[in-house]
Amino acid sequence: MVKKGTVLFGINNIFTVQAGSSTVECRIKGKILGEGKREYNPLAPGDRVFFKTDPINPEKGMILERCERRNAFLRWNKKRRAPQAIAANIDGIVCISSPESPPFRPRFIDRVAVTSSIHSIPFTVILNKNDQKISGEILERIRYYENIGISVYTCSAKTGENIDAVMDLLAGKVHAFIGQSGVGKSTLLNKLCGTQQQKTGAVSLKYNRGIHTTIFSALILCMNNIRIIDTPGIREIEIYGIDPSELSFHFPEFEKYAHICSFPGCTHIHEPKCGVRTAVADGSILEDRYESYTRIYDSLKHQREASYE
Ligand code: GDP
Ligand code: ZN
């Protein structure tokens, strides 16, 4: 019998699929994506699939088809020169950060923000470890994010401060958690999920943490119907899915100044009389945000050249 389920995670092309209250270990039957689609990975946590179970061993199955995605968090996989889905069918993307150890990395946050914007997925920053010192510079950046419409939650997985607010944000929804190692993502997940973590998710995470390396993403089912796609080991995000000329649309604060630019289709990189660069010079746009913009612009250009090779 063909059933529909949700991919929780996949290891070595064996995907754990949840359907109702049971999970089935599935392999993939043939080309489930059809011809001509170049993707690094056919399935990501959160994907909905059609599968059939083995009549003799109902814990095993075969995935027949991937259902159309509502959305996906994609990045460009440089090595394979193909898009890589990190999570599928999500309600929001959350970037977890910390103020001091490891240091706050606004450029990384900017990249996650741009990716979220490209796929029209709501984006939130969580600054964990708010029991540590938060510098004036970080506070300034947080205010800046809030001014351009990005919500920022500060909390502490250690002291429990503001965890209720984070739970409210996540309740009933599926979120992808992105963050560099050490920011307290697992501590936060444990706090949010406690012992209610679904068994398979719990096992996989234990395995994951146990050897302190990052292997795979997994959809974890928690209490309050909080569902989180944990994405260990994402250190870099190469933006995928847009032309360099479209990048400025994903820096919402540029819009106000872009119409002042003299050149139609100004890239805000080298053209004279550029409204955006003038705003950077007079401090209306944060210089570091502009730096994020130019770096992403360059990587998009290289990516385009690489895919033409
Ligand atoms: P992950 O690599 O992001 O999963 O980080 P972990 O959850 O393993 O946490 C890394 C370290 O940060 C551990 O020593 C945690 O105890 C610590 N940590 C986690 N959350 C907090 C917090 O809110 N405040 C402080 N001070 N330390 C925390
Ligand atoms: Zn310009």
Side-chain angles (χ1 to χ4, degrees), residues 4-8 16-24 48 198 221:
K4 200 171 178 183
T6 305
V7 173
L8 298 182
T16 298
V17 176
Q18 190 209 22
S21 56
S22 56
T23 55
V24 183
R48 303 276 289 152
Q198 211 228 15
L221 312 167

Side-chain angles (χ1 to χ4, degrees), residues 7 27 30 35 48 91-92 143 154 174 178 182 199-200 212 235 259 273 286 292:
V7 173
R27 292 174 183 278
E35 299 295 332
R48 303 276 289 152
D91 298 308
R143 240 173 279 127
T154 60
V174 188
I178 318 278
K199 203 170 139 236
T200 44
H212 286 286
R235 289 183 202 89
H259 74 271
K273 293 189 187 161
L286 197 67
S292 270

Side-chain angles (χ1 to χ4, degrees), residues 285-302:
I285 290 176
L286 197 67
E287 200 170 343
D288 196 65
R289 282 279 291 173
Y290 181 69
E291 180 74 26
S292 270
Y293 173 78
T294 57
R295 288 185 188 206
I296 298 171
Y297 188 92
D298 279 348
S299 54
L300 284 171
K301 257 177 67 180
H302 287 136

Side-chain angles (χ1 to χ4, degrees), residues 93-112:
I93 294 175
V94 178
C95 185
I96 324 277
S97 59
S98 61
E100 239 175 9
S101 53
F104 191 65
R105 271 178 74 198
R107 300 258 173 74
F108 180 79
I109 298 174
D110 288 344
R111 281 175 179 260
V112 184

Side-chain angles (χ1 to χ4, degrees), residues 257-258 260-263 266-269 271-277:
Y257 305 100
I260 309 170
C261 301
S262 295
F263 279 64
C266 179
T267 63
H268 323 305
I269 298 285
E271 296 87 340
K273 293 189 187 161
C274 166
V276 169
R277 285 197 298 146

Side-chain angles (χ1 to χ4, degrees), residues 32-33 39 42-43 47-49 64-69:
I32 59 162
L33 300 180
E39 291 182 38
L43 292 171
D47 260 322
R48 303 276 289 152
V49 291
L64 310 169
E65 192 185 330
R66 180 178 92 189
C67 303
E68 198 171 326
R69 288 173 170 160

Side-chain angles (χ1 to χ4, degrees), residues 124 126 160 302:
T124 307
I126 290 184
H302 287 136

Side-chain angles (χ1 to χ4, degrees), residues 228-247:
I228 290 166
I229 297 180
D230 186 22
T231 63
I234 296 186
R235 289 183 202 89
E236 300 300 333
I237 306 259
E238 282 286 334
I239 311 286
Y240 170 75
I242 53 164
D243 189 82
S245 64
E246 295 169 280
L247 178 61

